């Protein structure tokens, strides 16, 4: 019975997945005498928290009730008052929360406040599932950098384009639709200059009847090669466009971009003239970016993997053979000298989208453990 209520709270939280950043997605259910009397979820940053929404719906029925919530209730004043005070004031008798908040201003404090007020407090019900739901938030809070998801689509023989550079479309419509669902839940989407030039992508969420926020669109363009007419720089699209570059970009190109409303961020260059990715990730973190989707191309993905910045991989595989020694593969960069040093996925899963297969997994860290925020069931 308790698991059923927490699962319902998790389902409520997912209703706003991708729309609450930089806050986590949280759901809450209030139960009294075995009956659900209140439900709520956090809809966006600055809006009332899930607990407050559920308490409003429950009203006087919250007295002596049990609250199920997917994250430890906050005990500090941010954009909204502390949830713990509202819970105590409503007369809730017991709180079950799935996982402790890693934020130092919350972690353990909410639990302690509620216990000191005389409530019975339990932690851990469906904890792994709750951590997975908010893996972007947990990683960003603990590391100070965005959670990076790498994505590519390839043929069975490992090609992302033909030898002529043609890449649209390797995978089918169902796979492409799932990519839009992934874009929907991340804060920013990134491609390299080569992909921006060859594919001219929009990098927007295009889902029927979708009215949520658009991710920030970023292109790695250390020298200013991407044409100003690129779809990425369309001022009519929401979400905002960013060019991450170096001092190698000309002042004229920079001014033209900025006049079009494109943000130009300048970073130190690596020895090979590329944008320093650590500096870019730090800048994104400073701008409250919790998650970043890297969609290609091969050089950009290679750099992110070489430098150990990837936490999760989505690889779509189409049942076709492209062939050709000059055809591009998904990940370039320096690579590793020995198979034993290869980037390894854990907690892998397979899912079909039309005739394509999605291989999804989390990156094993150099110490032999998997990424700390992995999917788990109740």
């Amino acid at each position: 019975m308790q698991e059923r209520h927490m699962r319902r709270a998790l389902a409520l939280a997912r209703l706003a997945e991708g729309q609450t950043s930089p806050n986590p997605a949280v759901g809450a259910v209030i139960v009294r005498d075995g009956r659900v009397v209140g439900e709520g979820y956090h809809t966006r940053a600055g809006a009332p928290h899930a607990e407050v929404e559920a308490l409003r719906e429950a009203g006087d029925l919250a007295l002596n009730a049990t609250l199920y919530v997917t994250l430890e209730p906050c005990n500090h004043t941010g954009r909204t008052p502390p949830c713990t005070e509202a819970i105590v004031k409503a007369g809730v008798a017991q709180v079950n929360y799935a996982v402790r908040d890693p934020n130092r201003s919350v972690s353990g404090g909410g639990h302690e406040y509620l216990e000191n007020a005389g409530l019975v407090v339990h932690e851990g019900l469906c904890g792994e599932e709750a951590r997975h739901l908010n893996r972007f938030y947990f990683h960003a809070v603990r590391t100070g950098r965005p959670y990076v998801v790498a994505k590519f689509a390839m043929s069975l023989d490992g090609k992302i384009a033909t030898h002529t550079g043609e890449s649209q479309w390797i995978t089918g419509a169902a796979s492409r639709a799932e990519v839009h669902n992934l874009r929907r839940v991340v804060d920013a989407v990134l491609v390299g200059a080569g992909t921006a030039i060859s594919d001219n992508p929009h990098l927007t969420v295009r889902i029927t009847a979708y009215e949520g926020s658009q991710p920030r669109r970023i292109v790695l363009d250390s020298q200013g090669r991407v044409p100003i007419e690129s779809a990425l720089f369309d001022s009519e699209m929401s979400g905002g466009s960013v060019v991450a570059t170096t001092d190698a970009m000309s002042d004229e190109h920079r001014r033209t971009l900025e006049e079009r409303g494109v943000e130009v961020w300048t970073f130190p260059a690596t020895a090979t003239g590329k944008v320093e990715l650590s500096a870019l990730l730090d800048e994104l973190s400073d701008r409250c970016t919790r998650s970043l989707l890297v969609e290609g191309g091969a050089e950009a993905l290679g750099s992110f993997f070489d430098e150990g910045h990837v936490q999760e991989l989505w690889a779509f595989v189409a049942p076709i053979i492209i062939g050709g020694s000059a055809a591009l593969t998904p990940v370039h960069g320096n690579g590793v000298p020995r198979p034993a040093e290869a980037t390894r996925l854990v907690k892998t899963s397979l899912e079909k989208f039309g005739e394509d297969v999605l291989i999804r997994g989390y990156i094993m860290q150099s110490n032999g453990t998997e990424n700390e925020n992995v999917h788990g069931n109740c």
Side-chain angles (χ1 to χ4, degrees):
M1 185 66 72
Q2 288 186 332
E3 283 191 5
R4 179 167 66 86
H5 294 316
M6 188 62 81
R7 286 184 180 277
R8 174 57 182 167
L10 285 163
L12 288 167
R14 292 189 189 99
L15 293 176
E17 188 179 8
Q19 304 304 308
T20 62
S21 187
N23 291 352
V26 182
V29 174
I30 297 175
V31 179
R32 177 171 166 175
D33 299 328
R35 181 169 66 93
V36 174
V37 296
E39 293 185 340
Y41 63 95
H42 186 45
T43 59
R44 57 179 175 79
H49 288 187
E51 301 95 315
V52 172
E53 293 284 12
L55 288 169
R56 286 177 179 173
E57 185 173 291
D60 292 341
L61 293 176
L63 182 65
N64 295 322
T66 297
L67 168 67
Y68 295 86
V69 62
T70 58
L71 190 68
E72 178 184 8
C74 67
N75 188 39
H76 71 289
T77 300
R79 293 191 192 182
T80 59
C83 290
T84 50
E85 293 181 4
I87 293 168
V88 172
K89 185 177 180 180
V92 171
Q94 181 171 317
V95 173
N96 289 323
Y97 68 90
V99 64
R100 186 161 297 199
D101 195 324
N103 191 322
R104 291 180 182 177
S105 62
V106 180
S107 187
H111 186 125
E112 182 179 3
Y113 180 95
L114 294 170
E115 280 194 331
N116 289 341
L119 281 73
V120 176
V121 185
H122 297 291
E123 172 191 358
L125 185 63
C126 298
E128 287 303 306
E129 190 168 346
R131 269 189 288 272
H132 173 77
L133 172 65
N134 282 309
R135 63 198 185 281
F136 302 161
Y137 171 78
F138 274 69
H139 175 85
V141 169
R142 286 174 171 160
T143 68
R145 284 183 174 168
Y147 185 103
V148 176
V149 181
K151 167 261 168 185
F152 56 76
M154 69 178 186
S155 62
L156 273 176
D157 56 336
K159 309 295 185 180
I160 62 172
T162 67
H163 68 87
T164 63
E166 291 290 328
S167 62
Q168 296 180 333
W169 298 98
I170 287 177
T171 52
S175 293
R176 299 197 297 273
E178 184 63 12
V179 172
H180 286 279
N181 282 322
L182 177 56
R183 289 178 186 170
R184 179 182 60 83
V185 301
V186 297
D187 293 335
V189 183
L190 178 147
V191 294
T195 296
I197 294 169
S198 62
D199 293 351
N200 195 27
H202 290 84
L203 302 185
T204 53
V205 179
R206 298 187 296 282
I207 298 173
T208 302
Y210 178 73
E211 297 180 352
S213 62
Q214 291 285 348
R216 173 179 270 147
R217 297 170 296 158
I218 304 171
V219 58
L220 288 176
D221 190 8
S222 59
Q223 297 183 350
R225 297 189 295 126
V226 180
I228 196 67
E229 298 81 13
S230 170
L232 283 170
F233 305 146
D234 187 344
S235 60
E236 297 300 316
M237 294 185 180
S238 60
S241 300
V242 173
V243 174
T245 190
T246 69
D247 287 333
M249 176 186 282
S250 71
D251 292 339
E252 180 182 0
H253 191 63
R254 182 190 308 273
R255 284 193 299 270
T256 304
L257 286 169
E258 291 175 340
E259 287 170 0
R260 190 152 183 163
V262 178
E263 294 184 65
V264 180
W265 300 351
T266 304
F267 298 99
T270 65
T272 56
K274 297 179 180 179
V275 170
E276 191 174 280
L277 295 182
S278 293
L280 170 60
L281 292 173
D282 288 340
E283 180 68 24
L284 286 169
S285 179
D286 289 344
R287 293 172 183 260
C288 295
T289 304
R290 300 295 199 194
S291 54
L292 173 66
L293 170 61
V294 180
E295 290 205 26
E299 291 297 334
L301 285 166
S303 295
F304 272 90
F305 276 108
D306 281 347
E307 297 182 27
H309 293 313
V310 180
Q311 280 70 56
E312 184 175 333
L313 173 66
W314 290 43
F316 291 90
V317 184
I320 61 174
I321 302 295
I322 290 178
S325 59
L328 290 175
T329 55
V331 181
H332 288 184
N334 296 325
V336 297
R338 292 175 293 276
E341 299 175 33
T343 298
R344 186 171 297 277
L345 300 185
V346 294
K347 305 290 185 181
T348 55
S349 64
L350 297 176
E351 188 174 357
K352 285 201 71 176
F353 290 92
E355 293 300 313
D356 305 328
V357 174
L358 168 61
I359 302 172
R360 183 177 172 185
Y362 304 87
I363 307 303
M364 178 176 284
Q365 304 302 295
S366 58
N367 60 4
T369 62
E370 69 263 24
N371 178 58
E372 61 183 337
N373 303 310
V374 297
H375 179 64
N377 296 317
C378 293

